[in-house]
Amino acid sequence: MILKYIIDFFNLEGGTRPHIVNIIRPKMLFNYILFFVFRKFNFLKIPYKPINLMVEISTRCNLLCPTCERELFKMELNGLPHDNVKLENIKQLAPILPYIYSVYLVSGIGEPFLNPEFWDIHKFFKSFRIKTGYFTNATFLTKDLIEKTFKEQVNTVTVSIDTFEKDKYCGIKKGADYAKTTEVISSFSYYKRKLNAKYFSLGLNFIFRKDNYKDILEYLDFAHKLGVDYVHCTTIITHLERDKELSFFLVPQDEQKKILLAAKKKAKELKIGIRLPHLSINPKQTCGYLWRCLSVFYNGDVGACPFFRTDRNFYYHIENSNIIYKKRKVGNTIVGNYLNEEIGKIWNGEKIISLRKGQINNKFALSPCDSCYYKYNLH
């Protein structure tokens, strides 16, 4: 009951959800207690360390998904980076890791398994007894790699599969093999049962778009059939103006509410965990990222937010408590570089403090925070 109260009160999802094996580490436990006590006070200089890190492993990818952030880099920015994170650099994060609850090896703009040092990097994080997870398109996963995932005690795996229909999947995930992806998901479920790996959670990532939002109910049946533990649902990010008509925000709110309530009910019936975007806007809400985690990118940059690593155009914003469409140039939320400065100092550095101050006073020091919809969990 106490654990459920903590989760509900602080809206702890995904990376911050407590797991008893990880909580018992003394420094981590003390850090989590400080987080629990002080989070709601929104201090500018925080007396605890980050709870979790999101770490980009590679910017290389084998797929050509038309609505991916990679398209933004190719078409509007200074070109697409093709690089892998190096273990020797990751080791510079060591001073803060005893305090960290979880690390997610996220895809960012790449596929983690294109980094040949993936397992060495994972082993380094695991040496601190940290809860770990990775996000993958599953195209490189084999029986051996699935077995290794359990051997190395990865706690969560999330597979990006945006639809249960083969033709739609091949249109969205250009270059992927639908049969192989579904086989990989089933194999994870099989090994979880075979090994009785209660510490392990298998998830799918579903992206709400204007043209697919009604699919979620059948998608949940699909996930249940494959033996999935949870479905992580987000809304599509409009990276390029050409994709603006795909936005879930264009679906009437009554219809959004109807489908989200139906999805929540069905997930409960199927006993599948589900994360759904919110619909309402609380003007007093502050961004959880600024008080909970940091995003670490391939080049050492540390972001307060995983979504805005670079100056760019953005298309949907909050204005007068409403979601509006407006093409607007917004800034980045990079607050330092851990290759040049210890990450603990970045966590309470001048730049991130200015962002927190902007959240509290509604006088934003750095775009795009002034009109961001992520902080309301609308994504």
Side-chain angles (χ1 to χ4, degrees):
M1 283 295 292
I2 294 175
L3 187 60
K4 185 178 185 303
Y5 171 78
I6 294 172
I7 290 169
D8 292 342
F9 184 76
F10 287 97
N11 191 29
L12 304 182
E13 297 180 291
T16 55
R17 187 176 293 277
H19 187 283
I20 191 65
V21 172
N22 305 89
I23 285 288
I24 59 175
R25 292 183 288 127
K27 288 184 179 180
M28 191 282 135
L29 177 59
F30 183 63
N31 194 47
Y32 214 106
I33 291 171
L34 290 177
F35 170 76
F36 178 76
V37 171
F38 293 108
R39 167 63 187 95
K40 290 294 181 179
F41 292 102
N42 288 336
F43 289 140
L44 297 180
K45 196 165 186 178
I46 301 176
Y48 55 86
K49 305 290 193 298
I51 296 300
N52 62 306
L53 299 179
M54 299 176 70
V55 182
E56 181 178 59
I57 295 300
S58 178
T59 63
R60 302 173 187 269
C61 190
N62 58 313
L63 301 184
L64 296 169
C65 306
T67 58
C68 178
E69 187 178 0
R70 295 172 65 84
E71 295 300 300
L72 171 71
F73 277 86
K74 287 192 286 187
M75 298 182 69
E76 293 190 4
L77 302 178
N78 296 322
L80 188 63
H82 294 276
D83 208 350
N84 288 322
V85 175
K86 296 178 177 60
L87 174 62
E88 62 181 285
N89 291 340
I90 287 290
K91 286 182 177 179
Q92 293 192 46
L93 296 172
I96 206 169
L97 294 182
Y99 304 91
I100 298 294
Y101 170 67
S102 62
V103 169
Y104 284 89
L105 307 178
V106 295
S107 50
I109 57 171
E111 165 57 36
F113 282 98
L114 280 169
N115 188 332
E117 290 191 290
F118 176 85
W119 286 116
D120 293 328
I121 291 171
H122 177 268
K123 187 171 289 188
F124 171 71
F125 285 122
K126 211 65 182 177
S127 69
F128 291 87
R129 292 171 57 205
I130 289 172
K131 177 184 177 184
T132 57
Y134 65 76
F135 188 101
T136 177
N137 63 31
T139 55
F140 291 103
L141 287 170
T142 61
K143 177 184 175 182
D144 288 344
L145 286 177
I146 293 170
E147 289 180 342
K148 191 172 179 66
T149 295
F150 288 95
K151 182 181 178 181
E152 299 294 333
Q153 294 196 316
V154 177
N155 297 96
T156 65
V157 170
T158 304
V159 178
S160 177
I161 180 167
D162 301 291
T163 177
F164 60 91
E165 295 184 53
K166 180 179 179 179
D167 291 342
K168 280 188 179 179
Y169 175 78
C170 294
I172 296 171
K173 298 286 185 187
K174 293 187 180 298
D177 184 328
Y178 176 82
K180 180 181 178 182
T181 302
T182 53
E183 182 183 352
V184 164
I185 297 166
S186 294
S187 295
F188 271 119
S189 180
Y190 166 76
Y191 279 104
K192 179 181 179 178
R193 295 192 304 272
K194 179 182 177 181
L195 301 171
N196 194 28
K198 294 180 180 179
Y199 64 87
F200 178 81
S201 294
L202 173 63
L204 303 184
N205 190 64
F206 178 85
I207 299 177
F208 280 107
R209 300 159 40 137
K210 185 183 177 183
D211 60 352
N212 80 339
Y213 69 94
K214 292 181 180 179
D215 294 348
I216 184 59
L217 301 182
E218 290 183 80
Y219 186 94
L220 288 170
D221 285 326
F222 164 77
H224 182 254
K225 184 178 178 181
L226 292 173
V228 166
D229 298 303
Y230 67 91
V231 174
H232 187 267
C233 300
T234 60
T235 60
I236 188 171
I237 302 173
T238 303
H239 293 298
L240 295 170
E241 192 168 14
R242 71 184 187 193
D243 300 323
K244 64 181 180 180
E245 298 304 322
L246 294 174
S247 177
F248 185 57
F249 296 138
L250 299 178
V251 176
Q253 193 165 56
D254 287 347
E255 186 69 13
Q256 290 183 34
K257 184 176 181 180
K258 180 181 176 182
I259 197 67
L260 295 185
L261 285 174
K264 185 176 181 180
K265 180 181 178 182
K266 183 150 196 174
K268 186 176 181 180
E269 291 170 354
L270 296 174
K271 297 181 180 179
I272 293 176
I274 191 167
R275 183 271 182 195
L276 293 167
H278 292 188
L279 292 176
S280 59
I281 296 172
N282 176 3
K284 295 182 180 180
Q285 185 168 334
T286 55
C287 178
Y289 287 111
L290 287 165
W291 281 270
R292 190 187 74 230
C293 68
L294 289 172
S295 296
V296 179
F297 298 111
Y298 77 100
N299 59 356
D301 281 347
V302 177
C305 168
F307 304 111
F308 293 98
R309 64 166 76 191
T310 184
D311 298 349
R312 57 176 294 180
N313 289 317
F314 210 63
Y315 302 93
Y316 286 92
H317 311 271
I318 299 298
E319 192 170 284
N320 298 322
S321 294
N322 293 304
I323 298 171
I324 64 161
Y325 171 81
K326 182 190 292 184
K327 183 177 180 179
R328 179 185 172 203
K329 193 80 173 178
V330 299
N332 67 74
T333 60
I334 300 300
V335 293
N337 188 296
Y338 79 89
L339 300 179
N340 302 323
E341 184 179 9
E342 200 268 302
I343 195 167
K345 294 180 180 178
I346 294 173
W347 176 241
N348 274 320
E350 183 179 333
K351 196 162 186 180
I352 198 169
I353 285 176
S354 71
L355 289 174
R356 292 175 185 143
K357 187 181 297 184
Q359 289 281 323
I360 294 168
N361 300 329
N362 284 322
K363 294 180 180 178
F364 299 93
L366 181 66
S367 171
C369 296
D370 57 338
S371 64
C372 176
Y373 62 80
Y374 301 115
K375 68 182 175 186
Y376 304 108
N377 296 314
L378 301 177
H379 169 60

